[in-house]
Every structure is written in C-alpha cells, then in structure tokens.
Amino acid sequence: MARTLLPLNALRVFESAARHLSFSRAAEELAVTPGAVSQQIRQLEEIVRAPLFKREAKGLQLSDLGRSTAPLVAEGLDRLRDASALMREPPRRRQVSISVAPSFASKWLMPRMDDFHTQHPEIEVWVSADMAPVAFDQGQIDLAIRYGPGHYPGHVSERLLIESVLPVCAPALMDGPNPIRTPADLTHHVLLHDMSGDGDPGRPDWPMWLMARGVRHADPRRGSRFNQSAMLIEAAVSGRGVALAKRTLAQADLAAGRLIAPFHDGGAVVGFAYHVVHPKDRPLSPSARAFTDWLRRQAAFHETGLDQL
C-alpha cells in the first residue's frame, strides 16, 4: 500500500465536505467558493482513481471509500491541529516529561495527578504512555516508570512499588449461580488472562496458580486474553470472568468495591517491580526532583492502602 501523503489542502476540504455532506456548507466553513470545493474533491478523486462521494437525488452521500477513510482523515487533521497548537504555545517555565507504561498510567498514575497539580501548580507534566525503550539522550524525557527487574545499565533505578498478582472478579460473581468460595469453584467460571508481555518470569499464569492450589481445571488456558493489564481489569469489573490481575493496578477498583478478591491467601508476590529510572550522567531538574519526591509519597500511601484492603 502506497503511503505517499495526499495533498493536505484537498484532504482538509474532503474532511469538511464529508462531515457536512454538503459542498456549499464546506465552502462556508473554509471560506472558499463551492466551485473551489468541488474542484479539490475532483482532483482528489482523480489521484485515488475512485469516487469519494455519490451524487444522489436525496443529496450528497459518501461512497464506500469515502465512508471508510473520512474518520481517519478527521483523526489525522485533529492530530495535526494539536501539534500546531503545541508548536505555537511557548514552553512553560517549569515542566517535567515522563514515560510510563499505558496500564500503569491509566490505573495508577493519572488518578493521582490532580494531587500533584494541586501541590505544584507551577510545574507542567507531560506524560508519554508507552512501553518502548526511552532514548534519554534525545532530551525529550526526564523520567521513566518501568515495570521490570530494576537493572538498567547507565541509569539510576529506584524501586517505587512491589507487585503481586491475585484473582479478582466483580462482586456479582461471588453470589451468582456458581458462587466462588474456594479455588476449585473457578472451574465453573471464565478465566481472564493478562498477556501484556512484560517479560516477568516470576509472574504466575492461571495454569501455574491453579496447579499450586491443587485445582484440576479442564482447560486453564481458555478464556479471553488482553495485551494491556488495564483492559483485563476492566473486563473483570464488567463481570466477564475472573482475572489474575496485578494488585497495584487493581487496587483502586478493589478499594471502591468494583472488584472483589475472593481468596485471602490468593496473592503471589512476583520478582518484577515498578521503578523510577533516569540517566546517571544527567542530574535531575528541580521539576523532575519534585515529581520524584511526590511519587515516593504516593507509593507510601499506596502501600498503606494495600494493608487496609
């Protein structure tokens, strides 16, 4: 598939006409003539060698190609507008950029960020939610929070939170047609699997967890699989089955009663942990130090919350 970018002005005209299903309304929005809109659409159709609109008696309609591509074009233009706004906005006096795994960002970090902004309104935090290796030498990221063994050559690594896994489910499953009282009761329920691919050799999967408790399951590998831990937890909250989840990420839902841990002795501490990572050869900025100090306090509060569950 050719990935050559089509003319941006023509794409902008197409997006407006597709949204309004009207060349005249698109012309008003873009401050051009309807003839100019029609010409841009015709040129775009000539390039792609297919119609983007169908001119019918009831009005303008998108063709199959137009219907499938219009949302993508709209999303792309929105991203370009965001980038343009960011380029025009002068950098704030103090900022810190962090890289965080997506599930940890959504289930642990972001719900706490209001507290940081309250304490440090002068610091702007830029969050990049990804799991790719961080190129600190490019100067775009100050800190990373990574789940792993904690050994990162050339970097300072401070353990932030330990991790364990445990079965969790929606409260309704505890008293449904097949109530969960013992691990053996899980043979009557769908098992949800975390396939986030973090490479943790010490994290048990369902076959290991059930075997350690002497439970013979017909097929412990059956059930839905999720490549993000946050998606696994949301599936458990919605009652789709029992998840073997990371406790750190499930804590908020456990505390709020959206999830239940059916077994008091069901947890298993794993070898990996969450670490704050930054380069050895580059001192932390005052903003990055403030954010790191805040992370330590939040981690302490988190551990206290675990003790109370």
Side-chain angles (χ1 to χ4, degrees):
M1 181 182 296
R3 294 182 60 84
T4 304
L5 191 64
L6 294 169
L8 286 178
N9 193 47
L11 291 175
R12 189 165 67 100
V13 171
F14 166 66
E15 187 278 331
S16 180
R19 180 161 33 86
H20 292 297
L21 289 179
S22 169
F23 286 0
S24 60
R25 293 180 62 186
E28 292 176 6
E29 179 178 271
L30 300 173
V32 297
T33 66
V37 170
S38 181
Q39 183 179 12
Q40 288 284 353
I41 296 299
R42 185 167 59 254
Q43 290 177 352
L44 195 57
E45 289 176 330
E46 289 175 357
I47 294 173
V48 301
R49 298 180 181 179
L52 297 171
F53 293 93
K54 295 183 292 184
R55 287 75 171 174
E56 300 178 350
K58 60 182 178 180
L60 194 66
Q61 301 295 324
L62 286 165
S63 68
D64 290 342
L65 178 62
R67 189 179 303 108
S68 64
T69 56
L72 299 176
V73 173
E75 180 183 355
L77 291 174
D78 281 342
R79 295 292 297 274
L80 288 173
R81 292 186 188 101
D82 290 342
S84 299
L86 190 61
M87 290 178 180
R88 290 192 182 102
E89 182 179 345
R92 291 183 56 169
R93 183 176 48 175
R94 298 184 63 182
Q95 65 186 42
V96 57
S97 300
I98 62 171
S99 171
V100 192
S103 290
F104 188 83
S106 64
K107 302 299 291 186
W108 194 90
L109 180 62
M110 298 313 296
R112 293 168 165 80
M113 285 302 299
D114 281 347
D115 181 79
F116 180 80
H117 292 309
T118 298
Q119 295 186 37
H120 298 279
E122 78 285 1
I123 299 177
E124 185 176 75
V125 181
W126 293 7
V127 179
S128 174
D130 59 63
M131 300 179 66
V134 178
F136 285 108
D137 57 346
Q138 296 181 6
Q140 298 176 345
I141 298 294
D142 298 303
L143 299 168
I145 302 176
R146 286 293 182 264
Y147 178 72
H151 305 297
Y152 304 98
H155 298 80
V156 176
S157 175
E158 175 185 346
R159 190 173 73 179
L160 184 66
L161 294 163
I162 62 172
E163 185 58 283
S164 61
V165 296
L166 77 169
V168 296
C169 64
L173 295 188
M174 297 294 291
D175 300 307
N178 297 292
I180 301 174
R181 299 291 181 267
T182 70
D185 296 327
L186 295 178
T187 58
H188 304 294
H189 292 270
V190 174
L191 303 180
L192 306 178
H193 303 264
D194 188 340
M195 308 298 291
S196 51
D198 50 40
D200 186 350
R203 189 184 74 187
D205 56 13
W206 270 122
M208 297 164 59
W209 191 93
L210 292 167
M211 182 182 298
R213 286 154 181 80
V215 177
R216 298 185 63 183
H217 196 285
D219 189 353
R221 298 189 181 279
R222 290 191 63 186
S224 299
R225 285 164 162 72
F226 303 87
N227 68 350
Q228 293 289 340
S229 300
M231 295 168 58
L232 171 90
I233 293 169
E234 291 304 315
V237 169
S238 66
R240 291 176 57 186
V242 184
L244 193 58
K246 294 173 182 173
R247 186 167 185 172
T248 296
L249 305 185
Q251 180 191 1
D253 294 297
L254 288 166
R258 293 185 292 269
L259 287 177
I260 296 288
F263 314 116
H264 292 297
D265 61 344
V269 177
V270 299
F272 280 13
Y274 299 95
H275 299 84
V276 180
V277 183
H278 59 88
K280 282 184 179 179
D281 58 0
R282 193 175 78 199
L284 290 176
S285 67
S287 297
R289 284 199 302 271
F291 192 79
T292 303
D293 292 342
W294 174 81
L295 283 173
R296 294 190 189 102
R297 294 193 297 271
Q298 290 297 316
F301 294 152
H302 170 90
E303 298 292 349
T304 301
L306 287 180
D307 294 338
Q308 296 174 355
L309 287 178

